[in-house]
Amino acid sequence: MSQVLDLTAMDKHGAVYSSGDFSSFQWSDDERRLLYIAEKRRPPAVSFFDENAREGSERGAESRYYADWGEQQTGQHRPVVVVLDAAVGQLTVLAPPQDVSLGQARWRRHGDTNSVVAIAWENQPRRLGLIYCSNRASHVLELPVVADAAGARLSGEAAVSCRSPRVSPDGSAVLWLESAAGGPHHAGARLVRRDMNSGVVSVLIDLVDVPEPDGFSGLYLQQLPTQCWISDTAVCFSTPVGTGLWSLTVDTASGARTRLEAAGVTVLAATPRLVVGARSGLLQPPELVVLPPAGAACWCCRRLAPPPAPLIMFPHGGPHGVMTDAWSAHVALFNQLGLAVLLINYRGSTGAGERSLHALPGRVSTLDVADCEHAARQVLSAEPSLLDAGRVAAYGGSHGGFLVTHLSGQHPDLVKAVVARNPVCDIAGMLEGTDIPDWNHVESGEAYDPLLTPSPQRLAAMLTCSPISHVDNVRAATLLMVGTADRRVPPYQVFYYGEALRQRGVPAEVRVYDDCHPLAKAAVNGDVMVHAATWMCEKLDHSPPA
């Protein structure tokens, strides 16, 4: 029997969140009630001059600005938890009185009662871009399934950033990932457990300052799998460690962890009998695999480009991200064209411990650029028969774009061609146009305070560590790619940088796409890869193999 409900006609909330950091979609155990996230209802906004406005409308409000949660979450202003009772067609909006935004909701069953566990992000002092940023102040709430009822805080009172709540099958425990609030956007996380019977909160896996003897460096995953429990007291998930992925099982009573011998596997879902994952390598597209929780045999893939090959330097973005040996369509394409690719994890990358990660803020444009340059010169020196030191290009996006434009400005003798996707070209200039102004402050060496206006000295420091400050030195042919809907790195600074290059006689081209920061739409991503490959082959005078 099918059932269709017109949510718009019911007029209990705004748009349903189908994606992004807030979204949820989960049936209760009895498959009667559906849990999801939607925009909080606002009165209809109408013009002062609308003679047909219905009762309850807000006149003159159609031009009011509502701050949202930034890049890829445009229009997501005040998310709330909604419960749909499908049996009777009734909606209940769970909206606690606190000034928070609710998301990532999960059912918790305890006896004959159901409640909801969710993450509450603080709306004050302002909403900053949320995607890719696991440092936004938030806490874990438990909410009764009653409209406008206050929730009970499950996490501690300290200012932290919580995400990815997961309720044990028997409802006796809640797990979540917890990072520091503020600072780098993606630092290490603790795995935290609350015993729902005793109320005791404990840390199962803590931060790791430097890698442990077995290589473990802490947790740097963005979220736990939606289905991660292999029993009432054990979970399974994957996290970057070094340049690879480790799949772990963790005993939630003791915190003991066991590594599954399954190289290159990202855990997607776990059950008591089986673990489902995606397995890939740099040149091997992802494939679905099923593993026993005890693990499986190692698997890996390696290939060198044919000699002598041009070298593509490929640093990651973030800057607190990581390059692993997982599948990359970009790397695979470049390699098939006969280009060698050097994936660079500079200091500040995740998966190497907190000391390394926190070494970078305040030293961007020096430490990270030096690491990239050192890595390239080392591999060129080590493989003279395979790599052509006279044909080196640099390719990257976001902070990776920041690095490749820095490399061409600081090391013009090394880099002969550049392709940069939505690169940060001017940290000071983008300050008023980005959804993450805290990034500009933290990475250039100053704690972020939304109440303070940047001083001339602070703006000068931001400018000094920006690629635009080295534009006079650039000789490398440069292809710049921007998304018109990018709220993370404003396109206007890229246009300015491209024009600055052209005025100095440097071959430069800008390509513009109707897309946001990652340029990930299927058609856009394909166009980006082809133009990037064509540009580097042409500028490095390289003919792909037949």
Side-chain angles (χ1 to χ4, degrees):
M1 178 180 177
S2 63
Q3 185 178 12
V4 178
L5 297 174
D6 188 341
L7 298 180
T8 302
M10 298 172 79
D11 197 26
K12 293 287 188 179
H13 56 71
V16 174
Y17 289 20
S18 59
S19 62
D21 286 299
F22 296 108
S23 63
S24 299
F25 196 86
Q26 185 189 19
W27 285 102
S28 57
D29 285 347
D30 60 8
E31 298 185 358
R32 168 176 172 153
R33 290 183 289 185
L34 178 65
L35 184 65
Y36 63 91
I37 306 297
E39 181 69 14
K40 186 177 181 180
R41 182 188 181 277
R42 290 198 294 264
V46 298
S47 166
F48 286 119
F49 313 106
D50 187 346
E51 297 179 354
N52 299 313
R54 66 182 183 181
E55 185 178 354
S57 298
E58 189 175 0
R59 290 188 177 275
E62 73 273 24
S63 58
R64 179 175 294 163
Y65 170 71
Y66 291 95
D68 59 23
W69 287 94
E71 167 73 20
Q72 298 179 51
Q73 299 192 150
T74 298
Q76 297 184 0
H77 164 74
R78 186 68 182 275
V80 292
V81 177
V82 183
V83 175
L84 166 63
D85 190 325
V88 296
Q90 178 181 342
L91 291 178
T92 302
V93 178
L94 311 185
Q98 302 99 319
D99 189 14
V100 296
S101 292
L102 295 176
Q104 299 186 2
R106 308 294 297 167
W107 286 111
R108 176 179 174 245
R109 177 178 54 81
H110 36 106
D112 296 328
T113 307
N114 280 287
S115 60
V116 172
V117 175
I119 300 296
W121 283 269
E122 298 174 12
N123 295 334
Q124 300 299 330
R126 64 166 291 186
R127 294 169 179 81
L128 294 171
L130 188 60
I131 194 167
Y132 316 132
C133 303
S134 56
N135 65 337
R136 304 301 182 215
S138 55
H139 52 275
V140 186
L141 279 180
E142 184 176 26
L143 301 157
V145 188
V146 180
D148 300 323
R153 187 164 177 154
L154 301 184
S155 52
E157 295 300 321
V160 293
S161 178
C162 301
R163 64 187 186 277
S164 199
R166 298 293 182 260
V167 182
S168 64
D170 63 3
S172 66
V174 177
L175 297 185
W176 62 86
L177 297 171
E178 185 175 289
S179 303
H185 279 174
H186 187 41
R190 297 178 175 89
L191 182 64
V192 180
R193 173 183 185 267
R194 182 183 176 104
D195 186 305
M196 298 302 291
N197 296 319
S198 67
V200 173
V201 176
S202 56
V203 176
L204 300 178
I205 298 181
D206 209 339
L207 302 177
V208 176
D209 193 35
V210 296
E212 296 175 357
D214 66 351
F216 182 67
S217 55
L219 301 181
Y220 293 95
L221 65 163
Q222 295 283 2
Q223 62 180 8
L224 296 166
T226 301
Q227 187 174 330
C228 62
W229 295 90
I230 56 176
S231 72
D232 287 333
T233 59
V235 292
C236 185
F237 56 85
S238 303
T239 185
V241 176
T243 59
L245 286 170
W246 283 22
S247 295
L248 304 173
T249 59
V250 178
D251 185 307
T252 61
S254 66
R257 56 178 170 82
T258 302
R259 181 183 177 186
L260 301 185
E261 293 300 323
V265 172
T266 299
V267 172
L268 302 177
T271 71
R273 296 179 60 190
L274 296 171
V275 174
V276 179
R279 182 174 63 184
S280 72
L282 279 174
L283 306 176
Q284 178 67 39
E287 59 180 350
L288 197 65
V289 294
V290 178
L291 310 171
C298 280
W299 175 93
C300 61
C301 178
R302 296 287 186 270
R303 186 188 301 178
L304 286 175
L311 178 66
I312 310 302
M313 304 166 65
F314 191 172
H316 59 76
H320 307 293
V322 67
M323 289 289 197
T324 69
D325 56 5
W327 162 255
S328 167
H330 296 241
V331 173
L333 172 63
F334 299 158
N335 189 262
Q336 290 296 315
L337 294 174
L339 303 169
V341 183
L342 175 63
L343 304 180
I344 306 174
N345 288 322
Y346 43 87
R347 280 169 288 183
S349 301
T350 60
E354 291 297 278
R355 181 181 297 179
S356 174
L357 185 141
H358 286 275
L360 184 57
R363 302 170 74 185
V364 293
S365 81
T366 55
L367 195 65
D368 46 4
V369 173
D371 284 357
C372 291
E373 187 245 354
H374 176 74
R377 294 197 189 277
Q378 283 291 106
V379 74
L380 289 169
S381 175
E383 302 287 354
S385 62
L386 290 177
L387 303 174
D388 187 342
R391 295 188 293 164
V392 177
Y395 176 73
S398 194
H399 190 84
F402 169 90
L403 289 174
V404 301
T405 48
H406 256 303
L407 285 162
S408 64
Q410 293 190 41
H411 301 284
D413 63 316
L414 175 65
V415 180
K416 300 300 186 290
V418 166
V419 178
R421 296 174 288 109
N422 284 324
V424 175
C425 299
D426 184 351
I427 297 179
M430 70 179 273
L431 189 60
E432 295 179 351
T434 180
D435 66 330
I436 54 165
D438 62 311
W439 181 93
N440 305 60
H441 288 264
V442 169
E443 299 302 340
S444 65
E446 180 184 67
Y448 174 65
D449 186 340
L451 300 179
L452 295 181
T453 301
S455 66
Q457 294 77 18
R458 174 46 37 194
L459 290 172
M462 292 180 183
L463 181 60
T464 298
C465 62
S466 298
I468 192 68
S469 65
H470 299 282
V471 70
D472 287 336
N473 302 327
V474 177
R475 300 197 298 269
T478 302
L479 174 62
L480 304 166
M481 299 172 167
V482 300
T484 57
D486 189 344
R487 299 182 60 187
R488 184 71 25 117
V489 179
Y492 59 76
Q493 63 158 320
V494 180
F495 299 145
Y496 181 85
Y497 181 79
E499 190 58 39
L501 291 177
R502 285 191 290 267
Q503 292 298 323
R504 288 161 175 78
V506 177
E509 184 175 307
V510 178
R511 293 200 168 269
V512 183
Y513 298 94
D514 179 19
D515 204 349
C516 54
H517 188 61
L519 298 178
K521 290 180 180 178
V524 172
N525 185 46
D527 194 80
V528 163
M529 288 197 296
V530 172
H531 277 297
T534 301
W535 184 269
M536 290 187 288
C537 287
E538 288 181 352
K539 304 309 178 185
L540 297 178
D541 194 24
H542 172 71
S543 299

